[in-house]
Amino acid sequence: MRTVAVVGGSLAGLSSVRALRTQGFDGRIVVVGDEPHRPYDRPPLSKEFLAGKVTAADIALEDDDEGLEAEWLLGVRAARLDLAERSVVLADGARVRVDGLVIATGARARDLAGSRGLAGIHTLRTLDDALALRTELEPGRRLVVIGAGFIGAETASTASALGLDVTIVEAMATPLAGPLGPQMGAVVGSLHADHGVRLLCGTGVRRFTGAGRVDGVELDDGRILPADVVLVGVGAQPNVEWLQGSGLVVRNGVVCDAGGMTSVAGVVAVGDCAAWHDNRLARPHRVEHWAGALDRPKRAVTTLLSGNSAGPDVPPPYFWSDQYDVRIQFAGHAANGDVVTVEEGDPADRSFLAVYRRGDEPAAVLGMNQPRAFTRWRRALAAAPVPAAT
């Protein structure tokens, strides 16, 4: 294997390049990224960067002396994968011939119908998104956030601290019910009320109002929320369209085994676009979290270089979120029917640790401002077998 292409220039792509060099690959590495920027850290985009506390230089991920000796093709999109010719075809018509391939094309923010064409409506996924939104967050302005997931919640927290009047609209009856379950989702969602941010649940968005620039959000129940700025934070979808017709198996992400190998030898996938087989769930599962983009490329590169994807299970998914000076940490898989018990602290104090159990086995753990207890439980969770969710 003399040439490896890494398609995707964010954390998962950079982690793959580092793993290739660390694991002894001394051939040519070509990185293809559709953004014009070198790799940067995304978690600060909705927090410190949006608040103006850090700059783009502060969130750069590369060290000056890394010596990775990779070729970076930035600002150009991968348009097609030609496995017959072992080539990545770029949008400008160029081809990159490869012996091995790491797919790390990530995910993009979902839109809502009618959100395009009106100024003042934003999504937040990239550095350029954050730069555009940051200029709009002026004290006293009215921000409506569509979606009470982590991006929406963190942006609401940041904007509230900046002095904006913030309203969150959530279609589900409880925020974060998907990743955390309804009981704990309600606890985390209560942080908004603690800080004067309105949270409207159980209603969708009918349309945006305004001529040229948004001035309101009409809800499904007929209410109209005045808005100077809108953030649409309704999740992300994997960037896998360029793989259509390639022969790879793609179902809500590139389907991989438990070591990152795709259905084609010499091709692995990592990061937000990859659905690795999770033995705890007995099915492929796509993980959109920073820790997965950092750690899984090491395993995938081992698979790529050796041709063998056997090995221990990767740790359970882990993510964190900082909202209103509260650190929220979660690891594992929550599922309907889990029994949730508070093991330490008190949710009313916004400082507690809760364990999700399926039968007698722990399946997930949630901490709010409980970093030590969370770390202890996270390790225990990684060591324990978890029954499949029902």
Side-chain angles (χ1 to χ4, degrees):
M1 189 175 292
R2 295 307 307 159
T3 299
V4 173
V6 177
V7 183
S10 192
L11 175 61
L14 177 62
S15 299
S16 300
V17 175
R18 286 171 170 160
L20 282 162
R21 293 305 190 211
T22 300
Q23 296 183 31
F25 180 72
D26 61 359
R28 182 187 182 214
I29 300 175
V30 181
V31 184
V32 178
D34 62 352
E35 290 187 64
H37 310 290
R38 296 290 282 250
Y40 57 87
D41 211 13
R42 293 183 192 273
L45 294 181
S46 56
K47 300 182 281 289
E48 297 92 342
F49 186 84
L50 208 57
K53 296 178 180 177
V54 299
T55 67
D58 294 326
I59 62 174
L61 285 171
E62 294 171 281
D63 298 327
D64 292 337
D65 57 352
E66 285 196 87
L68 296 174
E69 297 182 358
E71 301 171 30
W72 292 82
L73 305 179
L74 299 178
V76 60
R77 179 174 53 84
R80 186 166 62 86
L81 176 60
D82 184 345
L83 285 172
E85 297 292 332
R86 300 296 291 186
S87 296
V88 176
V89 183
L90 307 184
D92 61 8
R95 284 177 173 258
V96 179
R97 293 186 61 84
V98 300
D99 304 305
L101 175 63
V102 180
I103 298 170
T105 40
R108 63 185 182 277
R110 294 183 187 277
D111 278 332
L112 283 179
S115 61
R116 295 185 180 181
L118 282 180
I121 301 178
H122 298 262
T123 56
L124 180 52
R125 185 81 186 175
T126 68
L127 176 59
D128 290 337
D129 291 340
L131 285 166
L133 178 59
R134 189 167 72 175
T135 63
E136 302 247 40
L137 299 185
E138 299 174 0
R141 300 188 88 179
R142 297 163 299 185
L143 170 67
V144 174
V145 177
I146 313 297
F150 290 111
I151 290 295
E154 290 174 355
T155 301
S157 169
T158 302
S160 175
L162 291 172
L164 281 81
D165 179 83
V166 183
T167 301
I168 302 173
V169 178
E170 168 59 46
M172 300 182 69
T174 304
L176 299 169
L180 304 183
Q183 179 184 353
M184 290 296 112
V187 172
V188 174
S190 66
L191 286 172
H192 299 302
D194 292 350
H195 294 81
V197 171
R198 290 177 294 280
L199 174 61
L200 308 177
C201 291
T203 183
V205 170
R206 181 177 296 166
R207 68 185 182 99
F208 299 100
T209 65
R213 181 178 178 88
V214 68
D215 63 15
V217 178
E218 183 176 345
L219 306 182
D220 283 343
D221 60 15
R223 283 178 288 179
I224 295 180
L225 306 176
D228 301 304
V229 187
V230 171
L231 173 71
V232 177
V234 293
Q237 58 190 95
N239 294 317
V240 293
E241 291 82 359
W242 68 286
L243 298 170
Q244 289 180 356
S246 67
L248 292 178
V249 177
V250 176
R251 292 192 299 271
N252 186 31
V254 183
V255 176
C256 303
D257 67 13
M261 183 70 82
T262 69
S263 54
V264 174
V267 180
V268 298
V270 296
D272 295 1
C273 71
W276 284 30
H277 185 86
D278 189 320
N279 289 324
R280 296 175 176 83
L281 297 175
R283 59 175 170 80
H285 179 66
R286 193 165 62 84
V287 173
E288 291 184 7
H289 305 313
W290 184 90
L294 179 70
D295 295 330
R296 292 191 177 194
K298 301 169 189 170
R299 174 71 178 277
V301 164
T302 301
T303 296
L304 179 69
L305 296 179
S306 68
N308 182 0
S309 60
D313 290 344
V314 296
Y318 161 69
F319 61 83
W320 80 93
S321 177
D322 294 322
Q323 302 172 24
Y324 308 106
D325 295 325
V326 174
R327 169 143 291 198
I328 301 158
Q329 295 172 286
F330 185 86
H333 299 283
N336 292 333
D338 287 351
V339 175
V340 184
T341 57
V342 175
E343 304 284 329
E344 298 188 34
D346 188 335
D349 296 332
R350 311 311 186 213
S351 176
F352 69 97
L353 184 127
V355 176
Y356 298 63
R357 288 186 173 82
R358 208 163 301 151
D360 295 329
E361 297 293 338
V365 58
L366 168 69
M368 289 181 73
N369 279 345
Q370 290 277 347
R372 289 188 178 181
F374 179 84
T375 299
R376 186 171 68 250
W377 270 99
R378 184 186 173 197
R379 289 175 180 157
L381 192 68
V386 178
T390 57

